[in-house]
Amino acid sequence: MSNVLEVKGLCVSYGGIQAVKDISFVVPKGEVVTLIGANGAGKSSYSS
C-alpha cells in the first residue's frame, strides 16, 4: 500500500522556543489520522 504523507525529522522553532523536535510519521493510503496537541505546540507550522 502506498503512503499519502511521509514526514521525516521535522523540527519547528519559534525564536528560541523549539515546538517540534525530530518528529517522523507516515500516513498510509486509506487511513484516517488526527493530529492533536496543545495550543502553540506546532500543529499548524509551515515552512515558507
Side-chain angles (χ1 to χ4, degrees), residues 2-43:
S2 62
N3 296 325
V4 175
L5 178 65
E6 184 171 350
V7 175
K8 292 182 180 180
L10 177 66
C11 297
V12 177
S13 296
Y14 300 100
I17 306 295
Q18 189 165 25
V20 176
K21 181 180 180 184
D22 197 29
I23 299 296
S24 299
F25 61 91
V26 173
V27 179
K29 184 176 179 180
E31 293 289 321
V32 176
V33 177
T34 62
L35 180 62
I36 60 174
N39 289 344
K43 298 179 303 292

